[in-house]
Amino acid sequence: MMTRLYLRPQVERPSRKRRDSFGMLDGLEEDRSRLTQLTPSSSSSSLTLIKTNGQLYTYPDGKTGMATCEMCGMVGVRDAFYSKTKRFCSVSCSRSYSSNSKKASILARLQGKPPTKKAKVLQKQPLMTKLAAYAQHQANQQSGVKKSVTVEVFDWGRYLGDGDVMGAPVNCFKHVAMGKSWSDISEGVRVEVPNTDSSLPMKVYWIAGIVKLALLRYEGFDSDSTRDFWLNLCVPDIHPVGWCAAGGKPLVPPQTILHRFNNWKTFLIKRLTGSKTLPPDFSSKVRSSMQVPFKKQMRVEVVDKTHLCRTRVALVEQVIGGRLRLVYEECEDGTDDFWCHMYSPLIHSIGWSRSIGHRFKRSDVSKKLGGLMDAPGQLFAKVKEVDQSGHWFEDGMKLEAIDPLNLSAICVATVRKVLADGYLMIGIDGSEAADGSDWFCYHSTSPSIFPSGFCEINSIELTPPRGYTNLPFRWFEYLKETKSVAAPVNLFNKDVPNHGFRPGMKLEAVDLMEPRLVCVATVTRIVHRLLRIHFDGWEDEYDQWVDCESPDLYPVGWCQLTGYQLQPPAVNAGSRDLQSAASKQRKKSQQYKGQKKSKSQKTEKFIH
């Protein structure tokens, strides 16, 4: 629930000092100079006061005329509060008060009182303190296993600029941190952030409004976008309005616009009345959404990257933001690994292969060694239950499918084996190994398989079987030549969610042909629920077809939040990018590229 600010100016008495809800205090002295100076507090508080243009900045002390909401902790003008007792800032807070068990702890924290035992739980550590330490620990572990090129932190703000380019909304990604709670964030929401336009020798803050996604503008710049800046809204330097007041942090206008107003307090009251800010528990929501149920050394079944048709047992070696680094159980040195998201359709609970009749490579390693445990079944992504008793897929039926070895291509394919629970083994026509080692498993509801004719209807180039000469390819003739039938259209998944993606939106996407890499990418085309993902700076042949609900897509800023390394666009000519681009090019050159697929190339990683 968004917190709304209720602020209105009151008649000031020149003979008395008054503190407001912004942490600003009208001084006893009238000093209108443009110089900013440190001034010791004349009150009983030991907090340092900063004097700027005749105004002192500190925290509110509960003087008459001010009130604190007992639900959300917001400080504001008492007369604007709800109810006769003026205990709440809104009707919503009044109604929520009785059912909120944390009200006393939250209130104590925001008022600056000594925390209760429960409140200490909320104050253990700032959100990103633990996240940053954890991410650094994970990064150190990874660097010890694999050598990779060090790349500077990618600056999304500079890359997006102030043009029409925009990142995909966070609520498009239900599987990421805050993906289901982003309704708290919208254009116009006010927050307190560090003021980088200040000559003071200490850290100060100012209020900014959200322009779009994570593009912010300091209050006072109005329509001037030249000083807009990018800031991840989940980092520790983002706070709801009132945070500075509650914590005694200095609130100082940017130096560039300091001359525009003589009384910034009046300006803020007028500007913020009726506006919205973050809920007080926003950082707690972020912290909660960052929790991952998978733990190190848990055992799972995952696709065998050298033989697509089977699975193997692997151990969870590393967890970063829901992404798992899995090491195959037989590997002793930890180098035979595989990256995927915890909701990937490629990983399953132990025993899954046997239950549906899927091929499985047995391991001689006992799970009893080293205290290993099987990952609980409820941690894995659930698939839709289907009824296979009636008219269903049959061996030999034809369809169209995304090639897992060339994710830019949708190919003519065949159902090779029908498994239990709605799973199918699929083979790409004209490119199959004689022993079926390159068959791959898709669920019948998978958004990666389509009925015959899907590409033609949607103006997508269909890749015909390798060596097929009767071109242009026509399904009617092909079915007649192969004496086969097309899988019925009604057996395919036709659900198209309101995903929110639009062509041109920026995001961070996994390169599924090298799944340890998360890259800067763009949505270039949308066909129902299917997204064409282009990796910025790379040729179109490396594009990938991905479902709109794929766990391998992330919003702008996800890597920064989780501590994962983001690969910048390859087009940057700077020396810092050349080595990374060359490394990726070498890996890409080994990938399957359409008609040139050979049997040896089929042993490359199965990533989709």
Side-chain angles (χ1 to χ4, degrees):
M1 177 184 69
M2 190 70 64
T3 301
R4 186 175 295 275
L5 304 177
Y6 295 88
L7 302 164
R8 65 182 185 225
Q10 292 185 334
V11 178
E12 298 185 2
R13 299 177 182 177
S15 61
R16 298 181 61 182
K17 295 184 295 180
R18 301 194 55 173
R19 294 184 176 90
D20 59 51
S21 59
F22 310 110
M24 305 176 71
L25 175 66
D26 289 338
L28 295 175
E29 303 173 358
E30 291 296 323
D31 181 1
R32 298 299 178 181
S33 66
R34 303 302 170 121
L35 298 178
T36 301
Q37 57 185 333
L38 295 180
T39 306
S41 172
S42 59
S43 66
S44 58
S45 173
S46 60
L47 293 175
T48 301
L49 303 181
I50 296 181
K51 186 174 182 180
T52 305
N53 279 359
Q55 295 175 356
L56 297 178
Y57 302 76
T58 182
Y59 67 98
D61 59 357
K63 284 193 177 293
T64 304
M66 304 305 297
T68 301
C69 178
E70 295 186 20
M71 176 59 204
C72 68
M74 184 55 61
V75 180
V77 178
R78 181 181 180 83
D79 291 344
F81 271 44
Y82 175 74
S83 80
K84 293 181 179 180
T85 57
K86 306 299 182 184
R87 297 171 60 194
F88 309 102
C89 68
S90 66
V91 177
S92 177
C93 282
S94 176
R95 292 176 177 174
S96 301
Y97 179 80
S98 60
S99 61
N100 193 313
S101 60
K102 296 181 180 179
K103 54 185 178 295
S105 297
I106 295 174
L107 182 59
R109 178 185 58 179
L110 295 180
Q111 289 180 328
K113 296 178 180 178
T116 62
K117 187 175 182 180
K118 291 183 178 179
K120 291 180 181 178
V121 177
L122 301 176
Q123 294 193 12
K124 277 186 177 180
Q125 278 184 298
L127 165 66
M128 292 301 291
T129 301
K130 290 191 290 185
L131 292 182
Y134 173 73
Q136 184 62 45
H137 171 69
Q138 299 287 25
N140 293 339
Q141 281 189 332
Q142 185 176 5
S143 62
V145 177
K146 278 193 173 185
K147 293 183 179 179
S148 58
V149 179
T150 301
V151 183
E152 295 179 12
V153 176
F154 180 73
D155 186 351
W156 267 113
R158 182 179 302 174
Y159 188 67
L160 293 177
D162 56 0
D164 296 330
V165 180
M166 64 178 298
V170 178
N171 53 18
C172 292
F173 310 86
K174 305 301 183 185
H175 57 284
V176 304
M178 298 301 293
K180 298 178 180 179
S181 304
W182 208 249
S183 57
D184 290 334
I185 308 299
S186 61
E187 184 177 324
V189 168
R190 264 62 171 203
V191 292
E192 292 181 353
V193 297
N195 178 4
T196 58
D197 182 17
S198 172
S199 59
L200 292 174
M202 59 187 297
K203 189 173 185 178
V204 295
Y205 295 81
W206 189 240
I207 295 173
I210 297 176
V211 179
K212 61 178 181 180
L213 195 60
L215 186 67
L216 281 73
R217 182 178 303 166
Y218 287 125
E219 285 296 332
F221 278 94
D222 298 328
S223 59
D224 183 2
S225 62
T226 58
R227 291 300 185 96
D228 288 0
F229 58 97
W230 171 269
L231 188 60
N232 192 320
L233 297 182
C234 293
V235 298
D237 273 336
I238 293 281
H239 306 283
V241 173
W243 177 84
C244 285
K249 303 297 183 180
L251 199 58
V252 180
Q255 190 72 26
T256 305
I257 58 174
L258 196 59
H259 63 282
R260 293 188 180 182
F261 301 95
N262 290 329
N263 193 324
W264 281 96
K265 182 190 69 174
T266 302
F267 166 81
L268 286 181
I269 291 178
K270 182 178 179 180
R271 184 60 62 89
L272 299 181
T273 298
S275 64
K276 295 180 179 180
T277 188
L278 299 178
D281 62 344
F282 183 74
S283 62
S284 297
K285 287 183 178 181
V286 176
R287 181 169 57 249
S288 176
S289 67
M290 288 292 293
Q291 295 178 356
V292 178
F294 279 89
K295 307 301 179 185
K296 191 173 180 179
Q297 296 301 300
M298 280 186 172
R299 299 170 79 244
V300 300
E301 287 186 12
V302 64
V303 67
D304 186 341
K305 63 184 181 183
T306 59
H307 293 82
L308 315 186
C309 64
R310 70 187 185 188
T311 57
R312 297 168 62 183
V313 173
L315 304 178
V316 176
E317 181 62 28
Q318 196 172 350
V319 183
I320 302 180
R323 301 208 75 222
L324 310 178
R325 176 174 171 263
L326 306 173
V327 175
Y328 290 112
E329 196 171 47
E330 301 90 339
C331 178
E332 296 181 356
D333 59 3
T335 57
D336 192 7
D337 61 356
F338 184 86
W339 278 94
C340 68
H341 193 272
M342 62 181 179
Y343 295 143
S344 169
L346 302 179
I347 61 171
H348 309 275
S349 58
I350 297 296
W352 173 83
S353 297
R354 174 186 289 184
S355 67
I356 69 164
H358 194 283
R359 292 188 191 179
F360 176 73
K361 180 183 179 182
R362 296 186 178 279
S363 171
D364 295 331
V365 180
S366 172
K367 70 176 182 179
K368 295 182 180 180
L369 297 178
L372 306 179
M373 64 171 292
D374 298 343
Q378 65 268 22
L379 301 187
F380 300 86
K382 302 296 187 295
V383 295
K384 184 179 179 180
E385 294 185 4
V386 295
D387 182 10
Q388 298 183 221
S389 59
H391 191 45
W392 192 243
F393 289 96
E394 298 177 3
D395 294 359
M397 282 184 172
K398 300 293 183 181
L399 68 165
E400 298 175 5
I402 296 176
D403 185 350
L405 292 179
N406 180 19
L407 295 163
S408 66
I410 299 179
C411 307
V412 176
T414 303
V415 176
R416 290 305 178 188
K417 185 178 181 181
V418 177
L419 307 179
D421 295 342
Y423 287 95
L424 310 170
M425 296 302 295
I426 308 292
I428 299 297
D429 285 21
S431 303
E432 299 176 60
D435 59 356
S437 60
D438 57 355
W439 294 353
F440 47 92
C441 183
Y442 280 144
H443 193 264
S444 58
T445 61
S446 170
S448 298
I449 59 174
F450 319 94
S452 301
F454 173 85
C455 286
E456 181 180 0
I457 293 173
N458 293 284
S459 301
I460 299 174
E461 181 180 357
L462 177 66
T463 302
R466 185 161 63 94
Y468 187 73
T469 57
N470 189 9
L471 302 176
F473 180 86
R474 292 184 176 84
W475 266 112
F476 179 79
E477 296 177 359
Y478 184 69
L479 292 175
K480 186 177 180 180
E481 292 172 7
T482 57
K483 298 180 181 180
S484 54
V485 297
V489 176
N490 65 320
L491 297 182
F492 294 85
N493 180 12
K494 294 181 283 293
D495 295 337
V496 181
N498 184 19
H499 47 70
F501 287 102
R502 298 291 182 269
M505 284 182 171
K506 299 292 183 180
L507 70 166
E508 299 174 3
V510 175
D511 177 359
L512 293 168
M513 300 309 295
E514 184 60 37
R516 69 182 179 87
L517 302 179
V518 178
C519 311
V520 174
T522 306
V523 177
T524 58
R525 189 180 177 190
I526 300 175
V527 181
H528 304 303
R529 62 181 299 146
L530 204 59
L531 309 180
R532 182 78 171 181
I533 301 298
H534 174 75
F535 296 104
D536 290 17
W538 296 96
E539 295 82 357
D540 292 345
E541 63 181 297
Y542 300 125
D543 290 1
Q544 297 177 359
W545 287 108
V546 181
D547 181 58
C548 64
E549 295 182 343
S550 169
D552 295 305
L553 302 178
Y554 307 99
V556 169
W558 179 86
C559 283
Q560 179 189 4
L561 175 63
T562 61
Y564 206 94
Q565 177 65 60
L566 177 65
Q567 303 297 315
V571 292
N572 293 343
S575 59
R576 68 184 178 90
D577 296 320
L578 294 179
Q579 209 170 1
S580 176
S583 174
K584 187 171 182 181
Q585 180 63 52
R586 286 195 296 271
K587 294 179 180 298
K588 292 280 190 180
S589 64
Q590 301 172 7
Q591 310 289 317
Y592 160 59
K593 301 178 181 177
Q595 302 296 332
K596 296 182 180 180
K597 185 195 291 185
S598 64
K599 184 175 180 180
S600 62
Q601 288 172 315
K602 288 185 178 183
T603 61
E604 294 291 333
K605 295 181 180 178
F606 171 50
I607 321 295
H608 184 71

mmCIF file of all heavy atoms in Angstrom, residues 145-161:
data_model
loop_
_atom_site.group_PDB
_atom_site.id
_atom_site.type_symbol
_atom_site.label_atom_id
_atom_site.label_comp_id
_atom_site.label_asym_id
_atom_site.label_seq_id
_atom_site.Cartn_x
_atom_site.Cartn_y
_atom_site.Cartn_z
ATOM 1 N N VAL A 145 36.522 -20.522 -9.229
ATOM 2 C CA VAL A 145 36.226 -21.695 -10.041
ATOM 3 C C VAL A 145 36.482 -21.435 -11.510
ATOM 4 O O VAL A 145 37.051 -22.229 -12.219
ATOM 5 C CB VAL A 145 34.752 -22.118 -9.838
ATOM 6 C CG1 VAL A 145 34.403 -23.294 -10.738
ATOM 7 C CG2 VAL A 145 34.536 -22.492 -8.376
ATOM 8 N N LYS A 146 36.050 -20.244 -11.962
ATOM 9 C CA LYS A 146 36.195 -19.910 -13.370
ATOM 10 C C LYS A 146 36.892 -18.567 -13.519
ATOM 11 O O LYS A 146 36.603 -17.636 -12.786
ATOM 12 C CB LYS A 146 34.828 -19.839 -14.047
ATOM 13 C CG LYS A 146 34.284 -21.181 -14.458
ATOM 14 C CD LYS A 146 33.098 -20.971 -15.386
ATOM 15 C CE LYS A 146 32.631 -22.282 -15.969
ATOM 16 N NZ LYS A 146 31.570 -22.091 -16.949
ATOM 17 N N LYS A 147 37.782 -18.491 -14.457
ATOM 18 C CA LYS A 147 38.423 -17.225 -14.746
ATOM 19 C C LYS A 147 37.580 -16.481 -15.768
ATOM 20 O O LYS A 147 37.250 -17.007 -16.814
ATOM 21 C CB LYS A 147 39.830 -17.460 -15.296
ATOM 22 C CG LYS A 147 40.791 -18.067 -14.273
ATOM 23 C CD LYS A 147 42.173 -18.207 -14.843
ATOM 24 C CE LYS A 147 43.136 -18.779 -13.820
ATOM 25 N NZ LYS A 147 44.490 -18.937 -14.363
ATOM 26 N N SER A 148 37.216 -15.267 -15.482
ATOM 27 C CA SER A 148 36.422 -14.484 -16.404
ATOM 28 C C SER A 148 36.953 -13.057 -16.451
ATOM 29 O O SER A 148 37.631 -12.595 -15.541
ATOM 30 C CB SER A 148 34.946 -14.460 -15.977
ATOM 31 O OG SER A 148 34.821 -13.945 -14.678
ATOM 32 N N VAL A 149 36.637 -12.377 -17.535
ATOM 33 C CA VAL A 149 37.097 -11.017 -17.708
ATOM 34 C C VAL A 149 36.363 -10.095 -16.743
ATOM 35 O O VAL A 149 35.143 -10.142 -16.626
ATOM 36 C CB VAL A 149 36.853 -10.562 -19.167
ATOM 37 C CG1 VAL A 149 37.305 -9.122 -19.345
ATOM 38 C CG2 VAL A 149 37.592 -11.478 -20.134
ATOM 39 N N THR A 150 37.080 -9.256 -16.032
ATOM 40 C CA THR A 150 36.454 -8.312 -15.105
ATOM 41 C C THR A 150 35.894 -7.137 -15.888
ATOM 42 O O THR A 150 36.602 -6.488 -16.648
ATOM 43 C CB THR A 150 37.473 -7.815 -14.073
ATOM 44 O OG1 THR A 150 37.982 -8.945 -13.354
ATOM 45 C CG2 THR A 150 36.810 -6.844 -13.107
ATOM 46 N N VAL A 151 34.634 -6.854 -15.693
ATOM 47 C CA VAL A 151 33.974 -5.780 -16.414
ATOM 48 C C VAL A 151 33.452 -4.765 -15.408
ATOM 49 O O VAL A 151 32.941 -5.127 -14.357
ATOM 50 C CB VAL A 151 32.796 -6.326 -17.261
ATOM 51 C CG1 VAL A 151 32.166 -5.202 -18.062
ATOM 52 C CG2 VAL A 151 33.279 -7.436 -18.184
ATOM 53 N N GLU A 152 33.604 -3.490 -15.715
ATOM 54 C CA GLU A 152 33.106 -2.464 -14.822
ATOM 55 C C GLU A 152 31.582 -2.549 -14.725
ATOM 56 O O GLU A 152 30.916 -3.086 -15.597
ATOM 57 C CB GLU A 152 33.511 -1.090 -15.353
ATOM 58 C CG GLU A 152 35.022 -0.855 -15.360
ATOM 59 C CD GLU A 152 35.360 0.509 -15.929
ATOM 60 O OE1 GLU A 152 34.424 1.328 -16.096
ATOM 61 O OE2 GLU A 152 36.537 0.742 -16.210
ATOM 62 N N VAL A 153 31.037 -1.995 -13.667
ATOM 63 C CA VAL A 153 29.591 -2.000 -13.481
ATOM 64 C C VAL A 153 28.945 -1.223 -14.614
ATOM 65 O O VAL A 153 29.315 -0.084 -14.900
ATOM 66 C CB VAL A 153 29.221 -1.377 -12.120
ATOM 67 C CG1 VAL A 153 27.709 -1.292 -11.981
ATOM 68 C CG2 VAL A 153 29.823 -2.207 -10.992
ATOM 69 N N PHE A 154 27.969 -1.823 -15.276
ATOM 70 C CA PHE A 154 27.307 -1.195 -16.407
ATOM 71 C C PHE A 154 26.374 -0.094 -15.920
ATOM 72 O O PHE A 154 25.597 -0.291 -14.992
ATOM 73 C CB PHE A 154 26.534 -2.254 -17.194
ATOM 74 C CG PHE A 154 25.814 -1.703 -18.391
ATOM 75 C CD1 PHE A 154 26.506 -1.311 -19.516
ATOM 76 C CD2 PHE A 154 24.431 -1.554 -18.377
ATOM 77 C CE1 PHE A 154 25.852 -0.798 -20.618
ATOM 78 C CE2 PHE A 154 23.764 -1.048 -19.468
ATOM 79 C CZ PHE A 154 24.473 -0.668 -20.598
ATOM 80 N N ASP A 155 26.444 1.063 -16.566
ATOM 81 C CA ASP A 155 25.650 2.221 -16.172
ATOM 82 C C ASP A 155 24.380 2.281 -17.013
ATOM 83 O O ASP A 155 24.370 2.810 -18.124
ATOM 84 C CB ASP A 155 26.469 3.497 -16.358
ATOM 85 C CG ASP A 155 25.749 4.733 -15.812
ATOM 86 O OD1 ASP A 155 24.563 4.610 -15.447
ATOM 87 O OD2 ASP A 155 26.381 5.796 -15.746
ATOM 88 N N TRP A 156 23.294 1.741 -16.479
ATOM 89 C CA TRP A 156 22.020 1.750 -17.197
ATOM 90 C C TRP A 156 21.522 3.178 -17.412
ATOM 91 O O TRP A 156 20.911 3.491 -18.446
ATOM 92 C CB TRP A 156 20.979 0.942 -16.435
ATOM 93 C CG TRP A 156 20.879 -0.489 -16.850
ATOM 94 C CD1 TRP A 156 21.206 -1.592 -16.107
ATOM 95 C CD2 TRP A 156 20.406 -1.001 -18.094
ATOM 96 N NE1 TRP A 156 20.966 -2.744 -16.814
ATOM 97 C CE2 TRP A 156 20.469 -2.413 -18.036
ATOM 98 C CE3 TRP A 156 19.932 -0.407 -19.267
ATOM 99 C CZ2 TRP A 156 20.074 -3.233 -19.102
ATOM 100 C CZ3 TRP A 156 19.546 -1.216 -20.329
ATOM 101 C CH2 TRP A 156 19.619 -2.616 -20.242
ATOM 102 N N GLY A 157 21.738 4.051 -16.435
ATOM 103 C CA GLY A 157 21.255 5.418 -16.565
ATOM 104 C C GLY A 157 21.842 6.114 -17.769
ATOM 105 O O GLY A 157 21.136 6.769 -18.549
ATOM 106 N N ARG A 158 23.139 5.994 -17.950
ATOM 107 C CA ARG A 158 23.804 6.619 -19.089
ATOM 108 C C ARG A 158 23.374 5.947 -20.393
ATOM 109 O O ARG A 158 23.232 6.607 -21.425
ATOM 110 C CB ARG A 158 25.313 6.514 -18.907
ATOM 111 C CG ARG A 158 26.128 7.185 -20.011
ATOM 112 C CD ARG A 158 27.612 7.050 -19.737
ATOM 113 N NE ARG A 158 27.971 7.632 -18.445
ATOM 114 C CZ ARG A 158 29.179 7.554 -17.918
ATOM 115 N NH1 ARG A 158 30.147 6.908 -18.552
ATOM 116 N NH2 ARG A 158 29.438 8.097 -16.745
ATOM 117 N N TYR A 159 23.164 4.635 -20.351
ATOM 118 C CA TYR A 159 22.813 3.890 -21.561
ATOM 119 C C TYR A 159 21.404 4.237 -22.039
ATOM 120 O O TYR A 159 21.159 4.422 -23.231
ATOM 121 C CB TYR A 159 22.912 2.388 -21.270
ATOM 122 C CG TYR A 159 22.760 1.517 -22.505
ATOM 123 C CD1 TYR A 159 23.731 1.527 -23.501
ATOM 124 C CD2 TYR A 159 21.665 0.661 -22.657
ATOM 125 C CE1 TYR A 159 23.610 0.722 -24.615
ATOM 126 C CE2 TYR A 159 21.533 -0.142 -23.768
ATOM 127 C CZ TYR A 159 22.510 -0.113 -24.749
ATOM 128 O OH TYR A 159 22.387 -0.908 -25.855
ATOM 129 N N LEU A 160 20.466 4.327 -21.107
ATOM 130 C CA LEU A 160 19.096 4.662 -21.477
ATOM 131 C C LEU A 160 18.964 6.129 -21.846
ATOM 132 O O LEU A 160 18.157 6.491 -22.711
ATOM 133 C CB LEU A 160 18.143 4.337 -20.324
ATOM 134 C CG LEU A 160 17.976 2.860 -19.977
ATOM 135 C CD1 LEU A 160 17.057 2.710 -18.779
ATOM 136 C CD2 LEU A 160 17.421 2.079 -21.161
ATOM 137 N N GLY A 161 19.760 6.993 -21.197
ATOM 138 C CA GLY A 161 19.718 8.412 -21.499
ATOM 139 C C GLY A 161 18.368 9.014 -21.170
ATOM 140 O O GLY A 161 17.583 8.489 -20.381
#
